[in-house]
Amino acid sequence: MEWNETSVPQHFGKVNFFCNRLRTGNITTMKSSHYHDAIEIYWLISGCCNYFIKNKVFAIHQNDLVFIPNGIIHKTHYLTQHHERIVLNFAPDFINPVLIPYINQLFCRRIYSIPEECQGFIHTIFAKIENEYQLKSDVSEALIQCYISELIVHLSRHPSNASSPFYPNDVIDDITSYINANFADPITLTFLAERAKMDSTYFSKKFKNHTGFGFKEYLLTVRMKHAETLLVSSKQTICEIAFSCGFNDSNYFSTIFTKRHGETPSHYRKRIQLKGE
């Protein structure tokens, strides 16, 4: 197995920018459900994978770019043994405001298949970004912002004619939509299996195979995501937030939250509020 990864985030002033390249010789799945406050640009250099984004599964191939807004649940499952990818994460205010409509178009599209005539440019621009990320000079932040702006403009001026393929599954897509709309309710595997008109064991396997998530993992992720939002945006108590997000035990909620974030809900709330001042 060949494995190589650079994964130490760098902090440029008040902006958190992260660049990660991964080469691996194993078929892998992202270990846990994933969402964050940063925008993500993902480039699959080689190989192919299924990419769950919000409530759809997309087929990603070599030289596809994926654009994910902040706060969207996503997860990768690689279908080839050997693959290589680069991920960029950065805060929304890292982008020049003039370019927001253009990157919003890329968010709506989700997948950008790089035309052959643009591949040289993409390799060059990502190499420049990686170089400045490792260099960490006084002007690295400014240069990386310029390179990302150049990337967005280039893609808007050279639209890909390829479609954004995804694997529809009406039953499972309905279930994920239901979970997102009703996460505060006491949802069980048996209830969802009945809604899908499937045996519980078969439904559980079907859900896992299609989305890459276990049923409980996905439900917990959706609930946690909404709890984080309420901790920052509301004045509700920890107990009130726990119950409003579908947790019937506030102590259990605090335990799970602390395990996932490395800090208690109250500490998380204070830290984010202080950060915003």
Side-chain angles (χ1 to χ4, degrees):
M1 179 186 70
E2 179 189 10
W3 187 88
N4 181 29
E5 183 174 17
T6 302
S7 58
V8 180
Q10 307 295 337
H11 301 271
F12 296 121
K14 295 181 179 179
V15 179
N16 187 15
F17 180 84
F18 175 72
C19 178
N20 172 274
R21 179 189 287 263
L22 173 67
R23 301 184 188 95
T24 183
N26 277 350
I27 295 177
T28 58
T29 299
M30 187 183 292
K31 291 183 178 180
S32 61
S33 49
H34 194 61
Y35 59 90
H36 38 66
D37 292 333
I39 289 171
E40 180 164 310
I41 299 178
Y42 169 103
W43 176 25
L44 186 61
I45 301 170
S46 63
C48 62
C49 72
N50 287 343
Y51 211 133
F52 180 90
I53 306 172
K54 194 174 182 178
N55 59 0
K56 290 182 179 180
V57 178
F58 292 84
I60 310 301
H61 300 97
Q62 181 176 343
N63 281 318
D64 281 350
L65 289 168
V66 183
F67 292 84
I68 303 175
N70 50 312
I72 298 296
I73 296 173
H74 53 283
K75 189 172 187 177
T76 52
H77 173 66
Y78 290 91
L79 305 174
T80 50
Q81 187 172 19
H82 296 281
H83 52 270
E84 181 177 2
R85 59 90 173 130
I86 296 178
V87 171
L88 307 179
N89 293 130
F90 49 90
D93 59 6
F94 199 66
I95 299 174
N96 188 318
V98 174
L99 298 178
I100 289 176
Y102 298 98
I103 197 166
N104 283 342
Q105 291 176 6
L106 293 168
F107 288 152
C108 291
R109 183 180 178 88
R110 297 283 193 221
I111 316 301
Y112 180 98
S113 296
I114 305 170
E116 185 175 353
E117 63 272 18
C118 295
Q119 290 175 13
F121 169 83
I122 298 299
H123 278 273
T124 299
I125 207 75
F126 272 84
K128 289 180 177 179
I129 290 171
E130 285 189 286
N131 181 63
E132 291 301 329
Y133 182 72
Q134 298 298 329
L135 190 60
K136 300 187 291 293
S137 73
D138 293 341
V139 297
S140 289
E141 175 187 355
L143 285 172
I144 290 174
Q145 286 176 311
C146 289
Y147 296 146
I148 290 176
S149 297
E150 189 176 355
L151 173 65
I152 294 168
V153 170
H154 182 88
L155 298 182
S156 68
R157 290 178 173 176
H158 300 82
S160 171
N161 294 322
S163 60
S164 300
F166 66 93
Y167 297 126
N169 184 309
D170 292 342
V171 174
I172 302 301
D173 291 347
D174 171 73
I175 294 299
T176 56
S177 296
Y178 181 87
I179 291 173
N180 277 278
N182 301 277
F183 60 88
D185 295 341
I187 299 174
T188 64
L189 176 63
T190 301
F191 171 79
L192 292 182
E194 291 176 353
R195 180 181 176 87
K197 298 180 180 179
M198 297 179 185
D199 170 77
S200 294
T201 302
Y202 179 74
F203 167 77
S204 181
K205 291 180 179 179
K206 194 79 171 177
F207 190 92
K208 175 73 172 181
N209 289 339
H210 182 66
T211 66
F213 292 87
F215 149 69
K216 288 184 178 179
E217 176 192 5
Y218 186 71
L219 176 59
L220 180 61
T221 300
V222 172
R223 285 174 169 171
M224 277 292 176
K225 178 176 176 293
H226 285 277
E228 289 175 20
T229 300
L230 290 176
L231 283 168
V232 176
S233 63
S234 78
K235 294 184 179 180
Q236 292 182 355
T237 66
I238 304 300
C239 185
E240 289 171 338
I241 289 173
F243 282 96
S244 66
C245 290
F247 297 94
N248 56 14
D249 184 334
S250 60
N251 290 328
Y252 172 73
F253 164 69
S254 294
T255 299
I256 296 298
F257 189 97
T258 302
K259 184 177 180 180
R260 288 172 70 98
H261 293 275
E263 59 184 337
T264 65
S266 59
H267 286 166
Y268 174 87
R269 168 180 266 175
K270 290 177 181 177
R271 179 175 60 80
I272 299 299
Q273 289 175 343
L274 287 173
K275 186 178 179 181
E277 292 179 355

